[in-house]
Amino acid sequence: MQDMEKVESYIFSALCSVNFLVSCLLFSKMTRVQRDPYMDEIFHVPQAQRYCKGKFNEWDPMITTLPGLYLVSVGIIKPMAWLAKLTGSVACSTAMLRFTNVLFNCGNFYLLYLLISKLHHRDKTRLMFRRILCTVSLSTFPVLYFFTFLYYTDAGSTFFILFAYLMTLYGCHKASALLGVCAVLFRQTNIVWVAFCAGTVVAAKMDDVWRMEYTKKKDERLPAVRVPLSSQGVKKVITFSLDFFTSPETMKVVMQVTWPYAVVAAGFLLFMLLNEGIVVGDRTSHQACFHFPQVFYFFCFTYFFSLPVSLCLHRTLRFSNALKKHPVFFSVLTIVSLFLVWKFTYVHKYLLADNRHFPFYIWKNIYQRHKLVRFLLVPAYIFTGWNFLETLKSRSFFMSLAYLTCLVLATIPQELLEFRYFIIPYLMYRLHMPLSPLSRLFGEFLLYTIVNVATIYLFIAKSFSWPLALTTQRFMW
């Protein structure tokens, strides 16, 4: 056992080094090609450079996120600049600022490994190579990996959420809440995933109480509650939940554990009251709405990127059988989905106007082909959503409910279809999936590699120009 642990540590250390080396090479290439700030970097880079000069009272009103990225960048770069004796504009150049995300990428690699090891801790020796390959695969998740090489908030935002969740799993709730504050300073919507950390704690307590109740009743069913499929099962879960949340004893136990998250939530509510909203700076392009189809887009997005590990003939056959067994349910679901698509589809002006982003071409070539296309895709939404929920069955119902609640809160209020908003919910979904066989994990890694090569190649080699613009334009997520 100890020998295998040593082997695993050696392999993991080697892969960490390879990950850093490959990322540095790609970083060097992309930075040489695009030396000047690009896209949102035109706001982030100058703001960080002001902080580097100690001008903490200056703020660009076009920036909509809190200053976590700039504070961390200064905290990393200033000591590095002092040690390397860098002076002037070199210390906080665009390249140096971008490099902080390469460091976050290394941190994400390590955190993903720790999370996978914690969540899939059974039979450590047999699953060693699966854990390692799963880590390598998820660390190259295309949407996240691409922004490793630009000065965006995604790498750091993901790092602090993953770190906070890891601390939650280890029972270090004060540390988790503090890391959650750091995540919110990178992106305000991360408060949802801080709530998820708290939600998993509550879900675990509910599972414990559920097991105790059924042990007393000598019930022979599975100790952890699964997704209730019958009306009786739903009634039983609702009754149990009401008893749980109205019991002073259980709520006292829950609050003793979750109070650090409650403090963060109270602080965030105070911020929203003082700020008169969640967005800082320019609010005109970031209006909250009830964009229900965002969940449908996320289901399709998730199905595509998890296809090598989630594609299953038996699951498809089960879906077909479910359609036959529950025609009324699926008919009602289809009608509701059609209504949500009809009444709650929002098309952001950026989605229609900015041809540098991949969603622009997806919308143009699929959704704008005909006005009926968005309705014709409803069956695909239902299938991918069903596949998504089937995968979550490996977890307890309360855990799944906490995740789905946070998924809805994180996606539906967003008017803009932006794949970066799907990074954290997707990683949380993948982390909680059962570990797939090596062949499937290798297929996932191969898919991610192909997408990464394609997107980075397009960014580097397929630049273009706008008629009235002097700067070079490039394709990106």
Side-chain angles (χ1 to χ4, degrees):
M1 181 69 72
Q2 290 182 347
D3 291 339
M4 290 303 295
E5 288 180 356
K6 283 185 179 180
V7 170
E8 184 173 2
S9 65
Y10 293 150
I11 294 173
F12 179 74
S13 299
L15 289 173
C16 279
S17 301
V18 171
N19 171 68
F20 182 66
L21 176 61
V22 172
S23 297
C24 284
L25 292 173
L26 289 172
F27 166 79
S28 177
K29 179 63 178 178
M30 289 183 70
T31 300
R32 285 201 303 271
V33 168
Q34 183 64 45
R35 295 182 181 275
D36 297 325
Y38 183 66
M39 287 294 291
D40 289 2
E41 286 186 322
I42 63 174
F43 307 114
H44 294 311
V45 170
Q47 185 62 48
Q49 290 172 340
R50 293 187 192 99
Y51 276 35
C52 278
K53 295 175 183 176
K55 299 178 180 179
F56 295 100
N57 59 337
E58 294 185 12
W59 184 260
D60 185 342
M62 293 301 293
I63 295 174
T64 58
T65 53
L66 294 170
L69 176 64
Y70 321 126
L71 293 170
V72 172
S73 297
V74 172
I76 293 173
I77 289 173
K78 281 293 186 180
M80 288 175 60
W82 180 76
L83 290 171
K85 297 182 180 179
L86 299 175
T87 56
S89 60
V90 177
C92 282
S93 63
T94 302
M96 284 291 287
L97 291 169
R98 288 173 178 170
F99 191 73
T100 58
N101 278 340
V102 176
L103 299 179
F104 276 128
N105 170 66
C106 295
N108 286 332
F109 186 93
Y110 187 50
L111 288 171
L112 286 168
Y113 172 74
L114 293 177
L115 282 165
I116 291 167
S117 299
K118 182 65 176 175
L119 290 168
H120 307 281
H121 55 83
R122 294 180 181 177
D123 201 354
K124 288 189 175 182
T125 303
R126 188 172 63 86
L127 300 180
M128 177 183 72
F129 290 108
R130 292 192 195 183
R131 288 197 303 274
I132 291 174
L133 185 53
C134 187
T135 301
V136 173
S137 180
L138 291 184
S139 69
T140 59
F141 175 54
V143 184
L144 175 61
Y145 194 64
F146 182 89
F147 289 100
T148 295
F149 311 110
L150 296 175
Y151 194 58
Y152 274 62
T153 59
D154 301 280
S157 169
T158 303
F159 172 84
F160 282 109
I161 286 297
L162 293 179
F163 203 172
Y165 186 45
L166 181 68
M167 291 296 100
T168 298
L169 294 177
Y170 277 100
C172 304
H173 301 295
K174 294 176 185 176
S176 178
L178 183 59
L179 290 163
V181 172
C182 296
V184 170
L185 288 173
F186 270 70
R187 187 174 290 166
Q188 293 93 303
T189 51
N190 281 338
I191 190 65
V192 172
W193 299 106
V194 177
F196 172 71
C197 292
T200 58
V201 177
V202 177
K205 294 294 180 185
M206 292 179 79
D207 279 338
D208 290 341
V209 175
W210 178 274
R211 289 190 191 96
M212 284 170 33
E213 284 194 8
Y214 277 92
T215 301
K216 290 176 183 177
K217 296 176 182 179
K218 296 183 180 180
D219 199 305
E220 295 180 356
R221 300 185 195 187
L222 288 173
V225 60
R226 303 299 173 184
V227 179
L229 297 177
S230 63
S231 57
Q232 186 179 0
V234 172
K235 183 180 178 181
K236 186 179 292 186
V237 169
I238 291 174
T239 303
F240 170 79
S241 300
L242 289 173
D243 291 342
F244 181 89
F245 287 109
T246 54
S247 169
E249 292 181 4
T250 55
M251 290 311 298
K252 181 181 178 181
V253 172
V254 168
M255 286 306 299
Q256 285 175 344
V257 179
T258 59
W259 70 264
Y261 306 106
V263 171
V264 176
F268 190 79
L269 286 174
L270 179 62
F271 156 75
M272 287 185 64
L273 288 172
L274 295 175
N275 188 55
E276 298 181 352
I278 193 172
V279 178
V280 297
D282 179 31
R283 304 184 186 194
T284 57
S285 301
H286 296 82
Q287 299 292 331
C289 62
F290 290 104
H291 194 178
F292 291 102
Q294 281 278 29
V295 176
F296 300 152
Y297 307 147
F298 176 75
F299 287 155
C300 295
F301 173 91
T302 299
Y303 186 74
F304 173 77
F305 280 108
S306 66
L307 192 61
V309 294
S310 65
L311 182 64
C312 177
L313 177 60
H314 295 296
R315 190 175 292 167
T316 306
L317 291 174
R318 285 201 302 272
F319 177 71
S320 178
N321 291 332
L323 289 175
K324 295 174 184 177
K325 289 181 179 179
H326 309 284
V328 176
F329 170 77
F330 281 100
S331 297
V332 172
L333 182 61
T334 301
I335 293 170
V336 171
S337 300
L338 288 168
F339 176 77
L340 293 176
V341 169
W342 175 39
K343 286 295 185 181
F344 294 96
T345 294
Y346 292 87
V347 185
H348 198 284
K349 59 183 180 181
Y350 290 169
L351 183 61
L352 298 175
D354 198 336
N355 66 344
R356 294 169 293 184
H357 290 289
F358 297 141
F360 169 88
Y361 297 95
I362 293 173
W363 197 265
K364 177 185 175 183
N365 295 319
I366 298 177
Y367 288 90
Q368 287 189 313
R369 285 284 183 182
H370 194 277
K371 60 183 180 181
L372 294 178
V373 168
R374 58 179 177 164
F375 300 106
L376 294 174
L377 288 172
V378 165
Y381 298 153
I382 292 174
F383 171 71
T384 54
W386 186 87
N387 184 80
F388 182 85
L389 294 175
E390 276 286 300
T391 307
L392 289 179
K393 279 187 177 181
S394 61
R395 297 289 167 177
S396 79
F397 172 72
F398 300 122
M399 170 67 188
S400 300
L401 184 61
Y403 170 75
L404 290 171
T405 302
C406 292
L407 170 64
V408 166
L409 292 174
T411 55
I412 285 179
Q414 307 283 357
E415 182 181 356
L416 177 62
L417 173 57
E418 172 68 85
F419 292 146
R420 291 189 300 129
Y421 300 156
F422 295 163
I423 291 174
I424 293 175
Y426 176 80
L427 288 177
M428 288 297 182
Y429 165 75
R430 271 295 287 113
L431 284 168
H432 289 90
M433 283 180 66
L435 278 179
S436 300
L438 286 172
S439 57
R440 286 180 172 268
L441 289 170
F442 181 77
E444 181 185 51
F445 174 67
L446 185 62
L447 172 65
Y448 289 179
T449 302
I450 292 170
V451 174
N452 279 324
V453 169
T455 51
I456 292 173
Y457 172 77
L458 286 172
F459 182 86
I460 293 172
K462 297 296 180 180
S463 60
F464 61 99
S465 300
W466 285 344
L468 302 177
L470 299 176
T471 55
T472 301
Q473 308 304 324
R474 300 183 185 279
F475 296 108
M476 63 187 297
W477 285 105

